[in-house]
Amino acid sequence: MRKTLSDDEVLSFSEKIFRNFVDNFEIEPLQKIHIFISIAKFKEVQTELFISHFLKNGIQIYLPKIVNDEIIAVAFDENTEMEVNSWGIAEPVSDEDAGVRDFDYIITPLLYCDPHGNRVGFGKGYYDGFFAKISGECKKVGVGFYSPNEVVEDLNPHDIPLDYLVTPAEVLSFNGLL
Protein backbone atom coordinates (compact mmCIF):
# COMPACT_ATOMS: atom_id res chain seq x y z
CA MET A 1 0.00 0.00 0.00
CA ARG A 2 2.83 2.36 0.85
CA LYS A 3 4.32 1.98 -2.63
CA THR A 4 1.15 3.47 -4.15
CA LEU A 5 1.51 6.76 -2.25
CA SER A 6 2.53 9.86 -4.17
CA ASP A 7 5.39 12.00 -2.86
CA ASP A 8 2.82 14.64 -1.87
CA GLU A 9 0.83 12.05 0.12
CA VAL A 10 3.99 10.85 1.88
CA LEU A 11 4.81 14.43 2.85
CA SER A 12 1.25 15.22 3.97
CA PHE A 13 0.96 12.01 6.04
CA SER A 14 4.45 12.57 7.50
CA GLU A 15 3.47 16.08 8.61
CA LYS A 16 0.37 14.70 10.34
CA ILE A 17 2.42 11.96 12.03
CA PHE A 18 4.94 14.55 13.21
CA ARG A 19 2.15 16.75 14.58
CA ASN A 20 0.54 13.79 16.37
CA PHE A 21 3.89 12.92 17.90
CA VAL A 22 4.67 16.41 19.26
CA ASP A 23 1.07 16.90 20.42
CA ASN A 24 0.93 13.61 22.35
CA PHE A 25 4.40 13.13 23.83
CA GLU A 26 6.24 15.36 26.27
CA ILE A 27 9.35 16.42 24.39
CA GLU A 28 11.76 18.51 26.43
CA PRO A 29 15.28 19.89 25.99
CA LEU A 30 18.11 17.46 26.78
CA GLN A 31 15.94 14.39 26.25
CA LYS A 32 17.61 11.61 24.27
CA ILE A 33 15.83 10.49 21.11
CA HIS A 34 17.00 7.80 18.73
CA ILE A 35 15.51 8.28 15.26
CA PHE A 36 16.04 6.79 11.83
CA ILE A 37 16.81 8.65 8.61
CA SER A 38 14.04 8.10 6.05
CA ILE A 39 14.65 6.20 2.84
CA ALA A 40 12.75 8.12 0.17
CA LYS A 41 12.68 5.25 -2.34
CA PHE A 42 10.85 3.10 0.26
CA LYS A 43 8.36 5.92 0.92
CA GLU A 44 9.07 5.92 4.64
CA VAL A 45 7.73 8.53 7.04
CA GLN A 46 9.83 11.63 6.48
CA THR A 47 11.78 12.04 9.69
CA GLU A 48 13.51 15.26 8.61
CA LEU A 49 10.55 17.07 10.19
CA PHE A 50 11.29 15.44 13.54
CA ILE A 51 15.05 15.94 13.33
CA SER A 52 14.72 19.63 12.47
CA HIS A 53 12.33 20.16 15.39
CA PHE A 54 14.61 18.27 17.79
CA LEU A 55 17.67 20.28 16.72
CA LYS A 56 15.80 23.57 17.26
CA ASN A 57 14.61 22.48 20.71
CA GLY A 58 17.80 21.16 22.30
CA ILE A 59 16.93 17.47 22.04
CA GLN A 60 19.87 15.04 22.01
CA ILE A 61 19.59 13.09 18.75
CA TYR A 62 21.04 9.65 18.02
CA LEU A 63 20.96 7.89 14.67
CA PRO A 64 21.19 4.18 13.95
CA LYS A 65 24.16 2.70 12.16
CA ILE A 66 24.70 -0.96 11.39
CA VAL A 67 28.12 -2.09 12.61
CA ASN A 68 29.01 -5.79 12.85
CA ASP A 69 25.39 -6.70 12.06
CA GLU A 70 23.97 -4.68 14.98
CA ILE A 71 22.51 -1.21 15.39
CA ILE A 72 24.67 1.22 17.30
CA ALA A 73 23.55 4.72 18.33
CA VAL A 74 25.68 7.53 16.93
CA ALA A 75 25.27 11.05 18.35
CA PHE A 76 23.97 13.51 15.75
CA ASP A 77 24.00 17.29 15.38
CA GLU A 78 24.06 19.70 12.44
CA ASN A 79 27.83 19.09 12.03
CA THR A 80 27.66 15.29 11.86
CA GLU A 81 29.29 13.97 8.71
CA MET A 82 26.94 11.64 6.82
CA GLU A 83 27.38 9.10 4.01
CA VAL A 84 25.13 6.80 2.01
CA ASN A 85 25.75 3.12 2.79
CA SER A 86 25.53 0.15 0.41
CA TRP A 87 21.74 -0.11 0.99
CA GLY A 88 21.25 3.52 -0.03
CA ILE A 89 20.63 4.67 3.55
CA ALA A 90 22.17 7.87 4.89
CA GLU A 91 24.06 7.23 8.11
CA PRO A 92 26.80 8.88 10.15
CA VAL A 93 30.36 8.32 8.96
CA SER A 94 31.43 7.66 12.56
CA ASP A 95 31.35 4.10 13.93
CA GLU A 96 31.48 5.37 17.50
CA ASP A 97 28.63 3.98 19.58
CA ALA A 98 27.48 6.69 22.00
CA GLY A 99 26.77 3.94 24.53
CA VAL A 100 23.37 5.39 25.41
CA ARG A 101 20.87 2.82 26.69
CA ASP A 102 18.40 5.13 28.43
CA PHE A 103 16.76 6.92 25.52
CA ASP A 104 13.55 8.77 26.24
CA TYR A 105 12.17 7.70 22.85
CA ILE A 106 13.18 5.49 19.97
CA ILE A 107 11.33 6.47 16.82
CA THR A 108 11.26 3.38 14.69
CA PRO A 109 10.55 2.63 11.03
CA LEU A 110 8.16 -0.14 10.10
CA LEU A 111 6.26 -1.71 7.26
CA TYR A 112 3.35 -2.67 9.50
CA CYS A 113 2.36 -2.76 13.16
CA ASP A 114 -0.45 -4.95 14.45
CA PRO A 115 -3.05 -4.09 17.16
CA HIS A 116 -0.69 -5.50 19.83
CA GLY A 117 2.37 -3.43 18.88
CA ASN A 118 4.11 -6.20 16.99
CA ARG A 119 6.24 -4.49 14.37
CA VAL A 120 7.06 -5.79 10.94
CA GLY A 121 10.26 -4.36 9.51
CA PHE A 122 12.47 -5.53 6.71
CA GLY A 123 13.16 -8.90 8.33
CA LYS A 124 16.74 -8.47 9.50
CA GLY A 125 15.88 -8.18 13.22
CA TYR A 126 18.17 -5.18 13.76
CA TYR A 127 15.65 -3.20 15.81
CA ASP A 128 14.65 -6.18 17.97
CA GLY A 129 18.33 -6.71 18.78
CA PHE A 130 18.67 -3.01 19.57
CA PHE A 131 15.51 -2.97 21.72
CA ALA A 132 16.89 -5.90 23.75
CA LYS A 133 19.91 -3.80 24.79
CA ILE A 134 18.14 -0.62 25.93
CA SER A 135 16.44 0.43 29.14
CA GLY A 136 12.93 -0.90 29.69
CA GLU A 137 11.89 2.68 30.46
CA CYS A 138 12.54 3.79 26.89
CA LYS A 139 9.39 4.45 24.85
CA LYS A 140 9.53 2.55 21.56
CA VAL A 141 7.45 4.53 19.06
CA GLY A 142 6.66 3.23 15.59
CA VAL A 143 5.66 5.67 12.88
CA GLY A 144 3.57 4.50 9.98
CA PHE A 145 0.95 5.59 7.51
CA TYR A 146 -1.68 2.96 8.35
CA SER A 147 -3.63 1.90 11.42
CA PRO A 148 -3.33 -1.75 12.43
CA ASN A 149 -6.08 -4.22 11.67
CA GLU A 150 -4.55 -7.67 11.12
CA VAL A 151 -2.60 -9.57 13.79
CA VAL A 152 0.98 -10.57 13.01
CA GLU A 153 0.98 -14.33 13.48
CA ASP A 154 4.53 -15.35 12.61
CA LEU A 155 6.20 -13.85 15.67
CA ASN A 156 9.75 -14.77 16.58
CA PRO A 157 10.79 -15.30 20.23
CA HIS A 158 13.24 -12.38 19.78
CA ASP A 159 10.55 -9.94 18.60
CA ILE A 160 9.98 -7.02 20.97
CA PRO A 161 6.71 -5.07 20.57
CA LEU A 162 6.41 -1.32 20.32
CA ASP A 163 4.92 0.80 23.07
CA TYR A 164 3.19 3.21 20.68
CA LEU A 165 2.23 3.65 17.05
CA VAL A 166 1.79 7.12 15.55
CA THR A 167 -0.19 7.35 12.31
CA PRO A 168 -1.63 10.38 10.50
CA ALA A 169 -4.98 9.74 12.20
CA GLU A 170 -4.12 8.53 15.71
CA VAL A 171 -1.67 7.60 18.43
CA LEU A 172 -2.09 4.09 19.76
CA SER A 173 -0.69 2.88 23.07
CA PHE A 174 0.08 -0.81 23.49
CA ASN A 175 1.04 -0.53 27.16
CA GLY A 176 -1.99 1.34 28.48
CA LEU A 177 -0.14 4.64 28.90
CA LEU A 178 0.09 7.80 26.86
Side-chain angles (χ1 to χ4, degrees):
M1 288 174 26
R2 195 165 75 180
K3 289 180 183 180
T4 66
L5 296 174
S6 71
D7 291 345
D8 288 341
E9 287 173 314
V10 169
L11 177 59
S12 174
F13 289 163
S14 295
E15 289 170 342
K16 290 175 183 174
I17 290 167
F18 167 72
R19 182 56 37 213
N20 276 340
F21 180 83
V22 296
D23 287 348
N24 286 280
F25 294 96
E26 293 182 31
I27 308 302
E28 300 172 1
L30 301 180
Q31 284 182 323
K32 295 177 281 235
I33 298 182
H34 188 277
I35 186 167
F36 67 102
I37 299 287
S38 306
I39 306 171
K41 70 180 180 184
F42 293 148
K43 300 195 180 221
E44 290 184 321
V45 172
Q46 294 183 359
T47 56
E48 296 84 3
L49 304 163
F50 292 78
I51 293 168
S52 176
H53 177 79
F54 297 157
L55 285 170
K56 289 177 191 169
N57 289 284
I59 306 300
Q60 297 176 60
I61 302 170
Y62 299 87
L63 301 179
K65 182 167 184 177
I66 305 298
V67 175
N68 298 324
D69 246 7
E70 294 183 341
I71 290 179
I72 65 167
V74 178
F76 175 83
D77 63 28
E78 52 276 324
N79 298 314
T80 301
E81 191 176 344
M82 302 290 286
E83 66 185 356
V84 176
N85 69 19
S86 60
W87 293 311
I89 302 169
E91 63 183 10
V93 170
S94 172
D95 285 346
E96 184 178 338
D97 187 344
V100 176
R101 299 293 179 255
D102 62 339
F103 299 99
D104 294 283
Y105 298 95
I106 296 180
I107 300 175
T108 308
L110 52 85
L111 293 173
Y112 179 73
C113 178
D114 79 4
H116 305 290
N118 297 306
R119 175 187 164 276
V120 176
F122 288 98
K124 301 285 186 190
Y126 291 131
Y127 273 93
D128 292 309
F130 186 62
F131 290 162
K133 296 189 294 187
I134 60 167
S135 164
E137 300 297 312
C138 174
K139 296 171 185 74
K140 300 175 296 300
V141 181
V143 290
F145 298 126
Y146 305 103
S147 297
N149 52 23
E150 294 183 31
V151 173
V152 174
E153 304 216 1
D154 62 340
L155 296 177
N156 179 308
H158 303 291
D159 290 344
I160 297 175
L162 297 170
D163 298 308
Y164 304 94
L165 173 65
V166 181
T167 73
E170 61 190 341
V171 176
L172 299 173
S173 171
F174 305 112
N175 61 14
L177 303 173
L178 190 59

